[in-house]
Amino acid sequence: METSGASTVRVVRPGDGGIVQMPGFSAVFKLYSRDNGGEVAIVEHPFEVGAITAAHRHTREDEHSIVLEGEIGFRSDADEVVLGPGGYITKPRGQMHAMWNAGSVPGRIIEIITPGGFENYFRELGELLTAGVQDAAVGPQLHESPEFSELARKYGLTYGVPDWFDDVVSRYGLRPPTH
């Protein structure tokens, strides 16, 4: 029988996984692409109340999100939706998107990233934050930091402030990412 790149069973128990803390939004590593031939990575993202990610565009991977707790808003180009526990969404590569906690309690999603590899971006971003490169390095104007710009380039990621961003922040009473 032929396998798809995974050579051993991988088990991650509840509460396990390395974590990178970012302002309002964290990354908990559940499945690394290095363990399955680069096919997929799975990252859990807890969202604080009022948190929104900076709007960004992936050029190499698609993201498939499953809401576990709370109400999470998603905007990908012109499409916007708020999903509760059990809701699924795909954010295709090439579209500018952001995610936010649209409710009044902490939220949590699982992000399935295909192909894998992008999970390493969060680890490297955490290293930049720990090193003190830009105080809140998840803001919409990160391109002002040469270290962050290089990291984004390395992972085929671009940041921007689309015309819908301020409206989403206002409608949901969010804390916009700082720079």
Side-chain angles (χ1 to χ4, degrees), residues 46-68:
F47 281 82
E48 294 175 7
V49 173
I52 184 170
T53 65
H56 59 282
R57 177 181 292 113
H58 298 266
T59 59
R60 302 176 187 156
E61 56 277 319
D62 302 312
E63 294 178 316
H64 315 277
S65 301
I66 306 161
V67 178
L68 300 175

Side-chain angles (χ1 to χ4, degrees), residues 52 73-75 80 98-100 163-174:
I52 184 170
F74 300 90
R75 177 77 185 237
E80 182 177 319
M99 303 173 289
W100 63 92
D163 58 2
W164 48 260
F165 191 82
D166 290 338
D167 176 59
V168 167
V169 167
S170 176
R171 280 189 287 124
Y172 290 94
L174 304 172

Side-chain angles (χ1 to χ4, degrees), residues 51-161:
I52 184 170
T53 65
H56 59 282
R57 177 181 292 113
H58 298 266
T59 59
R60 302 176 187 156
E61 56 277 319
D62 302 312
E63 294 178 316
H64 315 277
S65 301
I66 306 161
V67 178
L68 300 175
E69 297 175 350
E71 293 180 277
I72 304 296
F74 300 90
R75 177 77 185 237
S76 190
D77 281 348
D79 297 310
E80 182 177 319
V81 67
V82 173
L83 297 171
Y88 288 68
I89 187 171
T90 293
K91 299 172 307 285
R93 69 188 81 187
Q95 292 191 7
M96 183 67 72
H97 65 274
M99 303 173 289
W100 63 92
N101 185 329
S104 58
V105 299
R108 189 166 58 102
I109 67 170
I110 290 288
E111 193 93 272
I112 301 167
I113 306 166
T114 57
F118 187 75
E119 73 275 17
N120 296 310
Y121 169 83
F122 296 113
R123 181 184 48 77
E124 292 186 43
L125 177 59
E127 291 169 3
L128 283 179
L129 289 169
T130 300
V133 174
Q134 277 202 302
D135 211 86
V138 293
Q141 299 188 359
L142 290 170
H143 59 276
E144 294 176 10
S145 160
E147 298 89 348
F148 182 82
S149 294
E150 180 55 35
L151 180 62
R153 240 185 329 276
K154 177 179 177 181
Y155 286 96
L157 191 65
T158 56
Y159 281 86
V161 183

